[in-house]
Amino acid sequence: MHSSAPEETNPVAATTPDLPATAELRAQIKDGRVFDLIDRRLRHDADAPLVQAFVEALDDPTLSLLAVLSTPAFEALSGFRFWEIQRFLTVVIPKLGRTDPVDMSHAVERLVRQGGQDGAAGMPFTALRAWFQADVSRAADLVARVRASDAEVSGASLAHALVALDDTALAMQLMSSPETREAAVRALSELPHQTHAERTELVEALRTHVADVEDDGLKGLALDVIVQVHNTAEATLDANALALAAELLEDAGDVTLYRAAMLPFAHRKAMSSELVAALLRTLQAVKPEHGGTLDMLDHALTTLSEDPRFSDAATQFVTTVINRPAPRLSLNAFDSWFRALIVGPPERFHAVLIDWLLNGSAEALAEVAHSLPLDDLRGISLEVDFSRLGLSEPERLIVCRRGVSWFFVHPITAASLAVSGLRSAGPELAAALSELIYDPLLVNYGGAAYAYLSAIAESDPAHPHAAPLLARADNHLENLRLTGVLPELHPSEHERFLEQSRYADEMSKAMKAAEHKSVFANLFPKLLLLYGRTAVASFRTTDGQDSHQEIAMQSISASHELPRREIVDPIGLDWQLRSLKTTRLKR
Amino acid sequence: MKGIIREYLASLREREELDAMLPELLSALGYTVYSRPQIGGRQYGVDVAALSPPDGAGDVRVCLFSVKKGDLTRQEWNGNSTQALRPSLDEIIDAYIPTRIPPQYKDHKVTICLCFGGDIVEQVRQEVTGYIDRYTTPMLSFEEWNGDRIAGHLVDGVLSEELAPAGARAHFRKAVALLDEPDAAYGHFQKLVQVLMATRQQDVTARTLALRQLYVCTWVLFAWARDLGNLEAAYRTGELALLSGWELAKTEIAAGDTRKSSEAIRETFAGILQLYLTISQAFVLKFDPFVALPDALALSVNSQSPLDVNLKLFDLLGRFALFGIWQDWHRRQLDAAAEDVLEGPAAAPVSDSGEPAKAGDVAEAAEVATAKEGDEPPPVQSVDAVAVVTRRLLSLVASNPALGLPAADHGATDLGLALFCWLRSGLGAEEVDGWLEDAVGRLDFTIRTRGRYPTIGRAYQELMTEHADRSDDVFKAATAGSTLIPLLAVWTAAIGRTDLTAVLSELSQGELAHCTMQLWSPGADSEAHLYINDDSHGRALSGLRIDADGSGVIGAVERMLGSPRSLDNLSANTTGYYPIILVACRHWRLPVPPEFYIGAASRSVAARAAPPPP
C-alpha cells in the first residue's frame, strides 16, 4: 500500500486578473459577478487595491452592500470560497462611507447568518463596530431609531452600536425595555466597570431586570456579564454577585449551561472556589447530546486542572459524571482534560486512576482503557507508588485485578500496574499478584509482558518476584514447543483460504471505517500510486514556471501482540477477564 | 502403481503388519489359507500356511510362509534376533513339516516361502542360496517372496485392471499422492470406496474381493501416511474403510454360517477392523504425550482462528473417546470369551449369557458412579485400558479449556462419545463433574453475552459466518436447534448436578425459547444408510422440554424411544459390534443415540430420588 502523495498543485490563472474600471466593477457588483473577481484576486494575495476599488465603487447612491449580499450569486457561496469573501468584506466594511446604519446592520447580519453555526461566523460584527466607531453619529442614529421604533435590528448590532457610543448609563436605561434588554446586557459586558461601585450597580441592575425573566439566553448572557466584569486581577465576585450568579444558574437552560461551561477558560481570573463549585454543580446537568457545551466544558476542566486551587474539583466533577448511572457522560467528551491528567504529575494521574479502578463504573473503566496512550500498541508503563495511596492489601489486590483485566489489551500497562503492587506487597498479596501476572498476562503475552518483567532491575523490590515468574513462563513456553509440528491438527487448505478471505474482508472494512474517522480524509485528496518507491508531482509556481517535487515513500505500520488465549480459548479468556473486572471486596 | 505398493511393503515396521496382509493377498491369488498369524508368536517358524492353487498338472502344494519385515540383512538372516529367518527355517524343516502339517496334506509337496517386504541384501544372498540348495529335495522347495514379488502379486492380482476399474486405481494413486492435504486425499479415497461399494448388491465373492481391495488400499495409505508423519488422512480413511467394510460384510457376519465364502469375507472384515484399530492406536499414541501440557495441542492447530482450534480439539476428543470405547469392547471380549478372542479381535464380544453383547446390554450394565460426600473415589485398575484412556481424555480436557464448550452443535457428538467412554470406564462422577460444570457455565455465559455460543452450522463456512456475526437475527437462526443442551441436561442430571440442569432449563425457557431441543436416534431406515451415509435417516426426538431436575427430559426420551428400540435391530448391534455405530456417528457427525446412555442416566436419577432406607 502506498501512502498518499501530496496533491499536485492545480495551476490557476498564471497572472492576477486586472481590476476593471469603476463602471465595470459597479456592473459586476450589481449582478454578483464581483464575487468571482474577488475570489480570483484573493488567490494572488492582491486584495489591497481591490478593497480600495470596491469601497470606491460602493460610493454610489444606486448601490448598497445589502443589495450585493441579497444577490443569488452571494447566496450560492459556500465553504472556503464563502469564508474568503466574508474575510474580504470584513476588511471593506469599516472603510465604507455613505451607508444607512440600519442597512449596514442588516447587511452584516446577513453576512453573519450565511456563516451558519461556525464560531467564526460572527467576525463581521467586529467590522460593524469599527464602522460605528469610525463615526459614532452612525451608532447614535441607529440607537435613536430603534428606541423610537423606527427601525428593527438584531440585539448584536444594537449592542455594537452601544459599545461604540461607550455610554454605560444609556445601556443601563435600555435594560428596562424588553426590546432592547438583550442588546443592553451584551453591551454592558464590554463597557468598562472599573470601580467596585460600578460593578455593584451593574449587578443590581441585572438582578432587577434579568433575574426574574424567563429567558434562558438572557440569563446566560447576564451570567457572562457578571463574571466578565470581574475578570481582572483586582476584582473578585462579592457575595452579591455570587448570589446573583447562583440564582441565574438555578434551573439553567441550554444556553446558560453553554455560557457556564465557557466561563472558566474565558474568564479565568474571575474564578474563585465558590464560583467554580457553583458552576460545576450546575454543569452536572449537561446532557450527552450537548456536544458544543461538552467541548466547552472539556476546555474549562482542562483550564481548571492547571490551577491547583481547582484541579481536585475538576477531577471530582469528571469522576461523578462518568460514573453515575444516567445521564452518564462519556470520558471521551473530556479527552483534553484526560490528556492533561496523563501528562501532568504522575502521582495525580495515578491517584485518579486507582480511585476509578477501586470505585469506578464498568462503562467508565472501559473508556479509560480505550483512552490510555498506546506507546506502540503495548501500552504505557504505570509505575504506581501504592505506599502513598493508603490502600489496604485487599484493596490493592482488587485494584490490580481490575487494572489487569481492563488494561489487558495493553500488556505493558497491565503488567506494570501489577508489578507496582508487588513492590510494597506482603507475602499473601505478593503471591496473589504473582499469580495474576502469570495468568492471564504471561501465559498470553510471550512478548511485551515477558520483556517488561525481564527488564526489572535487580535493585527493584519487584525483582525477587519476577525471576520465578519468568522461569515459570519459560517452562510453559517450552511445553508448548514440545509437540513439534502436528499436521493432523492443521486446518485444511480450503479452510485456511476461507478464514483468510474472511479476515481480509474484516480488515478491509475496518480500514475503510478508520479512513472515515481520519481528520486527513477530508483535508487532502487521496492518490493511489500503483508503482514506484517515490512520487514525483509537477505543479506551476505563482510566477508561471513549471516545477516538480519528488517525495520518497515511507511505510507506516503498527503491530499488536494477540493474546494466545484469544485464539486457543477466547471464551475462557473473556470469562476470566470479566471475573477479574467484577472482583469485589468482602464486606 | 507397483512402485507405490513396493514402497509400502518396504515401509512396514513390524513383522505382524506384513503377516496381517499376507493371508488376504494369498486368498485373492487363489491360495487356501489354513493357518493364520497367531497372537503370541509363530508356529515352529511358520507365520502363514496355505495350499497353493492347482498347477498345470492339478497338483497342490503346501506353502509355508516365514515372514520378516523390510530387507533381509545378515542380522535378520542368522543374527541374535529371536526372529532371525534361518533358525525359523530350521524349525520348519525340523519340527513343523514332520509334526504340524495337517494329516490330509501330508503327501503334498511343501514349499517354504521366505517372505519379506524389502529385498535380500547382497552380502547375505550367497548364504541364502547355499541354504536353499542344501535343503531342496523333490518334496521340498523354496521360494523367495520379496517386496517386488509381493507388490507384483498385489498389483496384478488384488488390484488388477480387471478387478479394480481404472478410475478406482487413479483415485487411489491420487489419494496417496495428496496425503499431505488430508481433505483431498480423503476425497479421492471416498471416490475409490464408491467404486468398490458398487458390489454391495452382488454375491459374496465379489464383495469379498472388494473388501480385500479396500483393505489393501487402506493399508497402503496408512503406511505411506505414517512414513510422512501425517496420520490425518489415514485415520479418516480407516474409519471409512471400516464402515464401508461393514456394509459389504454385515450379511455374512450376521448369518454366522460356516460356508467357506462367508468365512472368507468375515476374515477379511476382521482384517479391516484390526487395521482400523491399528490406525486408531497409532493416532492416539501420537497425541498422547501432549494431552497434559496446557494449551500445547490447541496451539498446535497453528491457526489464528479460535473456530479452527475448537473444531480440531473436539475432533481429537472424539477420536480419543472412540479409542477408549473400543478398548472397553476389546477388554470385555477378552474377559468373556478368551477362546474366541484367539481368533482375532474381530470376534464378536460375548455377554454373560453367551450371546453377543449389544449396545442395550452395555447401557444396562453401566451405572453412573456418583460421588457422595465422604465417598472414596472408586478404585481404578491400572490394567483397565478404558480407564487409562478416559483419564488421558480428561487430561486433554483439563489442559485445553476450549474443550469446555463446542463451537458447533455437532461437537455434541464428540462430547457424547467422551461421556460414554467415561461411563464405560467406571470412573467416579467427580472426574467429569468439573467439566460439565464448565460446559454449562460457558454455555450460559456465551448465550447471555452473545459470545461464541455453539451454532448449528455444519459446513466450515457456515460456522465461520455464524461466529463472525453477533446480531440477534443470526443468534436466533444459529441457535434454532440444539442436541448439545439435552445431552448436557441428561448427563448433569445423571451425575446429580441438578443445579446445572436447572441452569439449562432456565436458558431453554428464556434466551433459547426459540430453540428446538432434540436428540437423534436410529430409525427403521437407519440400517440401510447409517454406515455409508448415502441418505438421511433416523428419528429426531424433538420438542424436548428441559426441566429443572432432568427427570422430565430423561423420561420423555425413554418414552419416545419406545420398545423395541430401532437401535436394537441395527446389524452392528445384533452382532455385538456396537462401537461401529459410534464410529458411524463420529464419522458422519450424527449425535450419539441416547440408547447408549439413557438407561444408566434414568437409573441414576431414580436411585437419587428414592427415599433413603430406614
Side-chain angles (χ1 to χ4, degrees):
Chain A
M1 184 74 194
H2 298 285
S3 55
S4 296
E7 182 188 10
E8 184 181 339
T9 305
N10 187 20
V12 293
T15 54
T16 309
D18 292 331
L19 273 175
T22 304
E24 168 59 17
L25 186 58
R26 283 179 176 150
Q28 290 193 16
I29 288 172
K30 272 186 183 168
D31 60 18
R33 281 181 293 139
V34 71
F35 297 120
D36 188 48
L37 173 71
I38 296 170
D39 185 37
R40 284 190 289 129
R41 282 190 63 90
L42 291 184
R43 290 192 185 203
H44 295 277
D45 294 330
D47 50 345
L50 180 65
V51 167
Q52 192 52 42
F54 201 86
V55 169
E56 285 170 14
L58 278 178
D59 189 18
D60 178 341
T62 64
L63 285 176
S64 80
L65 182 62
L66 183 60
V68 176
L69 299 184
S70 302
T71 59
F74 177 77
E75 284 176 8
L77 293 176
S78 63
F80 180 76
R81 203 152 171 254
F82 166 77
W83 295 115
E84 281 291 278
I85 300 287
Q86 196 209 50
R87 186 179 65 80
F88 173 78
L89 293 175
T90 303
V91 176
V92 166
I93 286 169
K95 300 181 191 304
L96 292 176
R98 195 179 45 75
T99 307
D100 178 74
V102 174
D103 277 0
M104 180 58 87
S105 296
H106 287 166
V108 168
E109 288 161 15
R110 176 80 184 81
L111 197 52
V112 169
R113 199 162 54 244
Q114 179 118 343
Q117 297 297 313
D118 194 283
M123 287 300 290
F125 278 124
T126 60
L128 177 65
R129 183 190 296 187
W131 186 77
F132 283 137
Q133 283 168 337
D135 181 354
V136 291
S137 66
R138 297 166 180 164
D141 180 29
L142 181 79
V143 172
R145 287 163 68 182
V146 170
R147 291 187 78 180
S149 300
D150 287 343
E152 199 172 310
V153 294
S154 75
S157 296
L158 184 58
H160 285 290
L162 286 170
V163 172
L165 287 170
D166 192 19
D167 187 343
T168 306
L170 177 61
M172 290 283 205
Q173 285 176 29
L174 289 179
M175 255 212 293
S176 59
S177 164
E179 288 76 26
T180 54
R181 187 173 292 144
E182 182 198 335
V185 175
R186 277 178 191 267
L188 284 167
S189 72
E190 296 195 47
L191 290 168
H193 307 274
Q194 290 177 347
T195 66
H196 182 260
E198 287 170 345
R199 289 192 288 271
T200 303
E201 187 189 0
L202 173 65
V203 168
E204 287 311 315
L206 289 170
R207 186 188 299 286
T208 304
H209 298 298
V210 178
D212 295 332
V213 174
E214 292 292 322
D215 183 339
D216 181 46
L218 198 56
K219 281 186 170 181
L221 205 54
L223 178 68
D224 188 70
V225 171
I226 295 170
V227 178
Q228 187 174 344
V229 298
H230 289 88
N231 187 32
T232 64
E234 304 80 32
T236 53
L237 271 74
D238 61 15
N240 264 344
L242 269 175
L244 178 58
E247 206 175 319
L248 293 169
L249 285 167
E250 270 178 29
D251 302 324
D254 291 354
V255 176
T256 305
L257 285 173
Y258 182 82
R259 294 275 181 181
M262 207 167 60
L263 295 179
F265 73 90
H267 311 308
R268 61 175 70 187
K269 286 182 192 161
M271 291 299 114
S272 64
S273 300
E274 294 84 354
L275 180 59
V276 167
L279 289 172
L280 293 182
R281 198 164 44 244
T282 297
L283 285 166
Q284 291 199 15
V286 175
K287 297 191 178 80
E289 58 270 26
H290 294 158
T293 307
L294 284 171
D295 282 346
M296 289 296 163
L297 183 53
D298 184 27
H299 290 312
L301 292 166
T302 309
T303 306
L304 291 174
S305 69
E306 289 164 2
D307 188 329
R309 293 176 299 159
F310 312 130
S311 61
D312 285 349
T315 301
Q316 190 51 51
F317 175 84
V318 176
T319 302
T320 302
V321 298
I322 66 170
N323 286 299
R324 68 188 180 193
R328 198 183 79 81
L329 297 181
S330 165
L331 180 65
N332 300 334
F334 308 114
D335 54 345
S336 299
W337 173 84
F338 192 57
R339 260 197 307 277
L341 179 71
I342 291 170
V343 300
E347 59 276 9
R348 196 169 132 237
F349 169 46
H350 294 161
V352 172
L353 196 61
I354 300 306
D355 175 50
W356 287 359
L357 282 170
L358 199 57
N359 303 305
S361 70
E363 292 89 346
L365 287 169
E367 288 169 353
V368 172
H370 191 68
S371 304
L372 281 178
L374 294 175
D375 189 16
D376 195 22
L377 298 179
R378 298 171 307 156
I380 54 167
S381 173
L382 295 173
E383 306 299 328
V384 179
D385 185 354
F386 274 95
S387 62
R388 295 163 58 100
L389 296 173
L391 300 180
S392 66
E393 289 218 332
E395 285 173 327
R396 287 189 210 185
L397 180 58
I398 285 181
V399 163
C400 290
R401 281 187 174 165
R402 291 186 187 168
V404 164
S405 52
W406 281 111
F407 309 146
F408 182 71
V409 290
H410 309 315
I412 298 285
T413 308
S416 60
L417 180 65
V419 168
S420 298
L422 271 180
R423 291 194 175 105
S424 54
E428 203 176 326
L429 177 60
L433 290 178
S434 293
E435 197 52 43
L436 185 66
I437 292 170
Y438 179 71
D439 188 1
L441 291 178
L442 286 174
V443 297
N444 279 292
Y445 294 109
Y450 186 93
Y452 177 81
L453 259 77
S454 304
I456 293 176
E458 281 189 33
S459 56
D460 192 316
H463 186 267
H465 303 291
L469 282 172
L470 290 170
R472 205 171 152 195
D474 286 339
N475 185 49
H476 177 62
L477 201 61
E478 208 170 294
N479 281 342
L480 295 181
R481 290 179 182 139
L482 278 179
T483 60
V485 178
L486 295 172
E488 291 86 348
L489 292 180
H490 295 179
S492 69
E493 288 299 317
H494 176 61
E495 288 166 350
R496 280 196 198 279
F497 170 77
L498 291 173
E499 168 59 18
Q500 279 165 6
S501 301
R502 185 201 64 78
Y503 185 73
D505 285 349
E506 194 178 297
M507 288 299 104
S508 172
K509 280 179 193 164
M511 198 165 170
K512 280 179 185 159
E515 275 182 6
H516 280 302
K517 287 183 185 172
S518 168
V519 292
F520 298 113
N522 293 324
L523 292 179
F524 303 109
K526 179 181 169 184
L527 299 183
L528 181 68
L529 305 181
L530 298 176
Y531 306 99
R533 293 183 64 97
T534 61
V536 184
S538 65
F539 57 91
R540 185 165 293 172
T541 61
T542 51
D543 56 1
Q545 301 297 309
D546 285 332
S547 184
H548 70 272
Q549 187 177 17
E550 184 165 348
I551 297 176
M553 296 288 102
Q554 302 290 329
S555 71
I556 300 170
S557 66
S559 63
H560 175 64
E561 187 179 359
L562 198 61
R564 279 196 199 104
R565 286 196 175 145
E566 190 59 43
I567 304 295
V568 298
D569 182 23
I571 299 172
L573 180 61
D574 191 10
W575 199 344
Q576 180 184 25
L577 295 180
R578 283 184 196 235
S579 301
L580 290 173
K581 283 172 186 170
T582 52
T583 311
R584 297 264 184 274
L585 263 182
K586 281 183 187 167
R587 302 271 176 204
Chain B
M1 186 76 165
K2 190 176 175 185
I4 292 174
I5 305 287
R6 198 166 49 230
E7 280 298 311
Y8 143 70
L9 290 167
S11 71
L12 293 177
R13 292 180 184 171
E14 304 296 336
R15 184 174 61 83
E16 290 77 11
E17 293 180 356
L18 189 52
D19 271 1
M21 199 273 300
L22 192 59
E24 297 310 316
L25 172 62
L26 294 174
S27 298
L29 293 174
Y31 288 75
T32 304
V33 179
Y34 70 83
S35 175
R36 286 175 170 268
Q38 303 294 301
I39 293 171
R42 57 183 59 159
Q43 278 193 323
Y44 297 106
V46 173
D47 292 299
V48 177
L51 295 178
S52 73
D55 60 16
D59 291 335
V60 172
R61 289 174 294 133
V62 172
C63 296
L64 306 174
F65 290 82
S66 192
V67 180
K68 296 286 154 206
K69 65 165 181 168
D71 289 340
L72 189 64
T73 62
R74 188 175 298 282
Q75 182 69 18
E76 293 288 332
W77 168 246
N78 197 17
N80 292 329
S81 162
T82 54
Q83 304 294 331
L85 186 55
R86 179 170 174 156
S88 297
L89 298 183
D90 291 342
E91 275 188 285
I92 294 173
I93 294 167
D94 297 340
Y96 190 94
I97 294 175
T99 64
R100 306 296 287 186
I101 291 180
Q104 64 270 35
Y105 309 139
K106 278 281 186 191
D107 298 334
H108 290 49
K109 290 180 179 174
V110 174
T111 300
I112 297 176
C113 301
L114 290 61
C115 185
F116 36 88
D119 215 338
I120 297 179
V121 299
E122 277 310 308
Q123 295 91 326
V124 187
R125 167 68 65 190
Q126 194 63 37
E127 293 175 43
V128 175
T129 308
Y131 185 92
I132 289 172
D133 288 347
R134 189 189 316 166
Y135 287 102
T136 299
T137 66
M139 290 300 287
L140 177 63
S141 59
F142 292 85
E143 280 182 6
E144 181 185 325
W145 284 53
N146 59 18
D148 195 59
R149 177 170 181 171
I150 299 171
H153 283 314
L154 283 169
V155 173
D156 299 334
V158 180
L159 302 174
S160 68
E161 296 275 4
E162 297 75 28
L163 300 176
R169 289 159 63 102
H171 286 307
F172 173 60
R173 277 196 300 271
K174 286 177 187 168
V176 174
L178 292 171
L179 278 170
D180 255 344
E181 186 44 62
D183 267 6
Y186 177 83
H188 285 293
F189 195 85
Q190 202 170 26
K191 286 174 183 162
L192 164 75
V193 169
Q194 281 166 7
V195 173
L196 298 178
M197 290 303 287
T199 61
R200 263 173 86 192
Q201 309 303 331
Q202 296 178 19
D203 64 15
V204 65
T205 307
R207 283 184 282 123
T208 305
L209 175 64
L211 208 55
R212 284 192 184 121
Q213 290 168 333
L214 186 60
Y215 174 66
V216 170
C217 291
T218 309
W219 241 122
V220 173
L221 204 78
F222 169 51
W224 274 81
R226 191 171 53 181
D227 260 18
L228 194 69
N230 185 349
L231 294 174
E232 179 61 15
Y235 187 91
R236 290 166 61 188
T237 53
E239 278 189 338
L240 183 62
L242 177 69
L243 296 170
S244 310
W246 179 260
E247 186 65 24
L248 289 173
K250 65 185 184 185
T251 308
E252 282 71 25
I253 292 174
D257 62 80
T258 55
R259 279 179 301 164
K260 209 169 169 183
S261 58
S262 296
E263 277 179 11
I265 199 166
R266 282 199 294 267
E267 282 169 357
T268 305
F269 176 77
I272 284 189
L273 175 57
Q274 183 59 54
L275 175 56
Y276 161 77
L277 293 173
T278 300
I279 298 171
S280 179
Q281 183 177 38
F283 188 92
V284 167
L285 289 180
K286 179 169 183 180
F287 287 87
D288 184 63
F290 314 120
V291 294
L293 301 177
D295 293 336
L297 287 173
L299 278 169
S300 294
V301 174
N302 195 26
S303 166
Q304 293 296 301
S305 161
L307 176 64
D308 290 343
V309 174
N310 192 286
L311 293 175
K312 284 292 179 181
L313 285 179
F314 269 91
D315 192 50
L316 190 61
L317 177 77
R319 295 182 193 196
F320 264 78
L322 259 187
F323 182 69
I325 292 164
W326 278 107
Q327 292 295 311
D328 175 62
W329 175 85
H330 193 51
R331 183 197 62 177
R332 285 165 202 282
Q333 188 181 13
L334 289 170
D335 287 350
E339 285 182 14
D340 286 346
V341 167
L342 292 177
E343 292 298 317
V350 181
S351 69
D352 294 341
S353 64
E355 291 295 312
K358 300 180 182 105
D361 302 333
V362 172
E364 286 301 313
E367 292 299 338
V368 178
T370 52
K372 298 188 187 79
E373 206 172 334
D375 277 0
E376 288 294 318
V380 178
Q381 300 290 331
S382 61
V383 294
D384 194 337
V386 64
V388 172
V389 176
T390 305
R391 283 201 187 285
R392 304 302 290 164
L393 178 154
L394 293 172
S395 185
L396 174 72
V397 173
S399 306
N400 296 278
L403 285 169
L405 188 69
D409 186 72
H410 67 66
T413 299
D414 304 300
L415 187 61
L417 289 171
L419 289 167
F420 182 63
C421 180
W422 163 76
L423 183 68
R424 303 304 305 138
S425 74
L427 294 176
E430 70 282 355
E431 302 281 352
V432 292
D433 185 290
W435 184 19
L436 289 174
E437 183 176 332
D438 191 36
V440 173
R442 280 171 180 252
L443 180 71
D444 190 41
F445 176 70
T446 53
I447 294 288
R448 293 188 192 283
T449 60
R450 296 291 190 272
R452 294 176 174 276
Y453 48 82
T455 64
I456 57 173
R458 295 187 69 82
Y460 181 80
Q461 194 163 12
E462 272 181 283
L463 288 166
M464 203 176 71
T465 309
E466 288 166 351
H467 280 263
D469 192 334
R470 307 287 174 86
S471 67
D472 280 351
D473 286 348
V474 169
F475 170 73
K476 282 205 165 180
T479 56
S482 175
T483 61
L484 175 68
I485 293 172
L487 181 81
L488 286 173
V490 169
W491 282 101
T492 51
I495 65 164
R497 289 296 304 271
T498 48
D499 56 324
L500 302 177
T501 325
V503 171
L504 297 169
S505 172
E506 195 182 320
L507 267 183
S508 69
Q509 289 163 36
E511 299 275 343
L512 293 174
H514 60 280
C515 176
T516 306
M517 300 295 169
Q518 57 198 291
L519 289 169
W520 176 87
S521 168
D525 54 348
S526 291
E527 177 60 28
H529 310 293
L530 173 66
Y531 312 108
I532 52 175
N533 197 42
D534 58 348
D535 204 349
S536 58
H537 59 94
R539 301 184 302 152
L541 313 180
S542 63
L544 297 172
R545 203 180 67 79
I546 311 296
D547 55 328
D549 69 358
S551 59
V553 69
I554 290 172
V557 170
E558 286 194 305
R559 285 190 297 279
M560 286 183 187
L561 289 175
S563 183
R565 295 170 177 178
S566 299
L567 183 130
D568 293 344
N569 297 323
L570 288 178
S571 58
N573 191 35
T574 56
T575 52
Y577 289 96
Y578 64 86
I580 291 177
I581 298 168
L582 298 172
V583 173
C585 290
R586 204 207 79 78
H587 194 81
W588 303 120
R589 308 312 290 162
L590 289 165
V592 173
E595 289 91 330
F596 279 96
Y597 55 83
I598 202 72
S602 176
R603 285 191 301 281
S604 174
V605 170
R608 203 168 289 107

